Amino acid sequence: MTPMPTRQQILEWIADNPDATAKRDIAKAFDIKGSARIELKRLLKELEDGGLLERRRRSYRDAEKLPPVTVVEILPPDAQGDLFARPLEWQGTAPMPRILFSPLKADPAVAPGERVLVRLIPTEGEDHQYQARLMRRIGTVTHRVVGIFRKETEGGRIMPIDKGQDREWRVRADATQGAQDGELVEAEQLGSRARIGLPQARIIERLGDPSAPRAVSLIAIHQHGIPDDFPDAVMAEADAQQPATMAGREDLRTLPLVTIDPADARDHDDAVAAMPDDDPRNPDGMVIWVAIADVAAYVRPGSALDREARLRGNSTYFPDRVVPMLPDVLSGDLCSLHQGVDRPVIAVRMRLDAQGDKIGHDFHRGMMNSLASLSYEQAQAAADGSPDADAAPLIDDVIRPLFAAYELLKKARARRQPLELDLPERKIELTPDGRVKSVAFRERFDAHRLIEEFMVLANVAAAEELTRLRRPLLFRVHEEPSPEKLNALRDVAEASGFSLAKGQVLQTSQLNRLLAQAQDTDFDELINVSTLRSMTQAYYHAENLGHFGLALKSYAHFTSPIRRYSDLIVHRALISGHGWGGKKGDGLSAHDIETLEDTAVHISETERRSMAAERDTTDRYLAAFLADRVGSEFAGRVSGVQRFGAFVKLDETGADGLIPIRDIGQEYFHFDRDAQTLVGADTGLEIGIGQRVLVRLAEAVPTTGGLMLQLLEVEGKSIARGPSQRRGKPPRRRDAQSAKAGEAKARKLRRIRK
């Protein structure tokens, strides 16, 4: 029988093996088996009670030492400019050890007050006990807020601009930075949040007049923490870039490549061309070329440009400005595929058969020269037989082959059955001084769909190519809806008179049948929006989990490296996989591979951050646009129901407003969570998703984007206004069978009336 180790032996082993300190690891090290494990457990408990060991979940460590991996807070630089850090957890009796933070050259910059996960390296003979290497960033300690400053006798307050927030912040007189009453400010929390009274904050930046037109997007930028100012080192690196040469590149300048983008696009990162396949074995087939800006040639792994691009994750687009991922000298010039200029690209050549299926592809690193920079409107007009002067010379060799290839892709798409959502995109047009001139819905052409299909096919080819080459990459993942969200969609469908089958393995074709049922009915937009809401959010992942919405087994983003960091990673993987980089060092680095999972999480978060900022900005612009029309009546449709009221989407602008439950009718309304309705206690009136309503705009607040509405009519019937008379019980709900029969009868009556 193996003798039980002494306390000292256990402590020495844990000190020598800090990465393997679970009880089973200790037992294995000392060959302790069976009932002897009970004695080991007792020994470990004694050491823990005596303060010699600290138990962390299922492992033990020396209480006087820090674990090899821990979370620390970065401290301000000392007199020599060195960064030290303090551990967030220290249980030892000795003074807290000093930790020198030693970032590698490729690590992102961190700021004082930021929390980071680090790996600790014990040091001897220094003025510090540990050296810390960055593993990943956790977040900042301080909480920041953007709001309106209200001056008071002593200091002032910051009023929130978030629709969903009502907490104010108190600012001491010595922390106002000279802010004036009514100014938009950014502030940070002082100390810990008080449980009683208002939290304290100090103003760190004055942002100006909140009612100024250009402040709308500025509010969103600061509120969501989007970096909008490039550091000097990044700008210097961008300014030093020289145009790429033909060295190591194929000459693709004879290809009939063109860019097709929105008329106001500043950067062009993709160009397309198509031609009949000259292979006699593929009659009626087509060849498609998609050429993408070779951003990797300028943004090298570990450079200041690379660190800043990863930090931003993506470009963010507002009606009045763009916060780019890369400085304009790259995004708007050297990387942009402008007409008549040589530009470096990574291109994919794809062959289609007569049914529109991709039967082969190959990738090339080359130099192209765009024949033309066309807008969607120009390309569509040319395809329809009305080309302008720019498009007329391109009809035979460019436009017709492109649309012929698109016709083939439409066949393949019809068989694949990706989700066919039809959601109109709002376009906010501004005056030169930044005020809202009009709100309309963008018109979609076949030219839009052509580019979308070409890009989807190129992204599929990139994912397949890197899988074949066994190179790491970031996949674009979209998982199928949860059962709960599907049931909610099914309820909306049935309430609208449609059906969504149960008990089957969900496929996009089933959702497309539901969308087809609703097409050209009063419920068209509602079913599209509800289907969109039932979807999970797409994200980036180092493993291939498929793309449900596009009905694809393998998908990666390859086509927009100017505005998405994910695409830059895919480009680097292609460069490494094909050996194009040579000694340039522009392929996928070891650090890129090591941090791939962290990068996937980070850029998924920055994407969601940008979407939220863009959505908030749109809401504020719409509120500003409607502010002069308070008191006007608008038609709309109930788009959501909650305990506190009903949301209505206005037909004219697509803006969403809230009808508070306290302002609905002269009776008490109960919220039926299962049926997603508000039910009147006296009349039994039901207000639910999809109903047509007439509302009056009661309030529009541009600083928050909030719209408050008054309900006038539901399905053409007037609603008496006034406070609720009593808090009665809702009418008793019918059993499922009678309810279903009643709904069927009601639908039949509605059709007869129509």
Side-chain angles (χ1 to χ4, degrees), residues 509-571:
S509 57
Q510 296 165 252
L511 297 174
N512 285 339
R513 281 194 289 273
L514 170 62
L515 295 167
Q517 293 176 57
Q519 190 173 359
D520 298 327
T521 71
D522 287 342
F523 301 96
D524 193 349
E525 183 180 353
L526 171 68
I527 296 299
N528 272 273
V529 171
S530 299
T531 302
L532 177 64
R533 287 176 177 171
S534 73
M535 295 293 108
T536 59
Q537 198 162 23
Y539 60 96
Y540 296 101
H541 202 283
E543 294 181 25
N544 183 15
L545 303 177
H547 199 294
F548 173 79
L550 292 174
L552 292 168
K553 294 180 180 178
S554 185
Y555 195 66
H557 275 164
F558 157 73
T559 54
S560 297
I562 289 178
R563 61 184 180 91
R564 289 188 307 226
Y565 193 77
S566 59
D567 304 51
L568 178 56
I569 290 291
V570 169
H571 277 229

Side-chain angles (χ1 to χ4, degrees), residues 445-468:
F445 304 109
D446 276 346
H448 288 92
R449 300 181 182 93
L450 180 154
I451 294 299
E452 288 171 3
E453 288 301 309
F454 278 38
M455 298 305 113
V456 166
L457 197 65
N459 288 335
V460 170
E464 292 176 350
E465 182 75 356
L466 290 173
T467 300
R468 181 185 70 81

Side-chain angles (χ1 to χ4, degrees), residues 279-354:
D279 189 337
R281 296 169 297 178
N282 186 31
D284 301 320
M286 297 288 293
V287 171
I288 290 175
W289 281 87
V290 174
I292 306 299
D294 189 356
V295 175
Y298 300 103
V299 183
R300 307 293 176 88
S303 63
L305 279 167
D306 179 46
R307 293 195 297 271
E308 185 69 15
R310 186 183 185 277
L311 173 68
R312 298 182 178 220
N314 50 265
S315 299
T316 307
Y317 294 85
F318 301 102
D320 65 328
R321 73 183 75 204
V322 176
V323 180
M325 186 180 79
L326 300 172
D328 188 63
V329 67
L330 294 180
S331 61
D333 185 13
L334 291 179
C335 293
S336 192
L337 310 181
H338 294 305
Q339 178 178 342
V341 182
D342 288 358
R343 285 290 183 261
V345 292
I346 294 179
V348 56
R349 173 182 175 270
M350 298 170 285
R351 297 177 60 224
L352 306 180
D353 63 17

Side-chain angles (χ1 to χ4, degrees), residues 28-68:
K28 184 177 180 181
F30 292 98
D31 196 25
I32 299 173
K33 301 176 182 177
S35 60
R37 287 173 177 264
I38 298 174
E39 178 63 16
L40 174 64
K41 184 177 180 181
R42 185 189 65 77
L43 269 176
L44 292 172
K45 184 69 168 62
E46 287 181 2
L47 290 169
E48 184 182 353
D49 292 341
L52 297 174
L53 281 183
E54 179 193 3
R55 186 173 185 178
R56 295 170 60 87
R57 297 182 182 174
R58 297 185 178 181
S59 64
Y60 295 85
R61 68 173 178 85
D62 188 340
E64 297 300 322
K65 294 183 178 180
L66 289 169

Side-chain angles (χ1 to χ4, degrees), residues 60 122 240 267 300 310 380 531 536 609 642 715 723 727:
Y60 295 85
D267 55 70
R300 307 293 176 88
R310 186 183 185 277
Q380 190 63 53
T531 302
T536 59
R609 177 182 68 184
Q642 293 293 334
E715 297 290 356
R727 191 183 178 94

Side-chain angles (χ1 to χ4, degrees), residues 533-703:
R533 287 176 177 171
S534 73
M535 295 293 108
T536 59
Q537 198 162 23
Y539 60 96
Y540 296 101
H541 202 283
E543 294 181 25
N544 183 15
L545 303 177
H547 199 294
F548 173 79
L550 292 174
L552 292 168
K553 294 180 180 178
S554 185
Y555 195 66
H557 275 164
F558 157 73
T559 54
S560 297
I562 289 178
R563 61 184 180 91
R564 289 188 307 226
Y565 193 77
S566 59
D567 304 51
L568 178 56
I569 290 291
V570 169
H571 277 229
R572 288 176 180 167
L574 287 167
I575 291 168
S576 297
H578 288 279
W580 291 330
K583 296 182 180 180
K584 298 176 184 176
D586 52 2
L588 204 61
S589 70
H591 183 73
D592 285 337
I593 297 171
E594 182 183 344
T595 59
L596 201 59
E597 292 184 4
D598 288 341
T599 298
V601 172
H602 172 69
I603 63 177
S604 296
E605 290 172 351
T606 60
E607 179 185 47
R608 288 190 285 270
R609 177 182 68 184
S610 293
M611 290 171 62
E614 290 165 1
R615 183 174 60 246
D616 288 351
T617 300
T618 297
D619 288 345
R620 290 189 174 101
Y621 270 122
L622 290 174
F625 180 64
L626 294 171
D628 294 336
R629 300 175 66 183
V630 170
S632 300
E633 297 179 2
F634 297 89
R637 191 182 294 278
V638 177
S639 58
V641 176
Q642 293 293 334
R643 186 178 300 278
F644 50 81
F647 291 97
V648 172
K649 183 176 286 293
L650 305 182
D651 293 344
E652 182 180 330
T653 60
D656 289 296
L658 173 67
I659 307 173
I661 195 169
R662 64 178 180 273
D663 291 340
I664 302 178
Q666 292 182 322
E667 59 183 319
Y668 187 83
F669 277 82
H670 296 263
F671 175 51
D672 187 329
R673 184 181 299 277
D674 295 332
Q676 285 291 290
T677 57
L678 296 173
V679 185
D682 298 332
T683 63
L685 172 67
E686 291 190 4
I687 298 174
I689 296 173
Q691 288 180 314
R692 297 290 307 171
V693 294
L694 182 68
V695 296
R696 178 181 290 119
L697 180 60
E699 185 180 8
V701 186
T703 53

Side-chain angles (χ1 to χ4, degrees), residues 149-153 155-157 176 178-182:
F149 179 67
R150 292 300 178 195
K151 197 172 183 66
E152 297 178 345
T153 306
R157 298 188 183 199
T176 65
Q180 300 300 307
D181 186 67

Side-chain angles (χ1 to χ4, degrees), residues 249-264:
R249 297 183 181 277
E250 296 180 49
D251 192 346
L252 306 178
R253 291 174 292 186
T254 58
L255 290 174
L257 288 159
V258 297
T259 62
I260 303 177
D261 293 291
D264 56 354

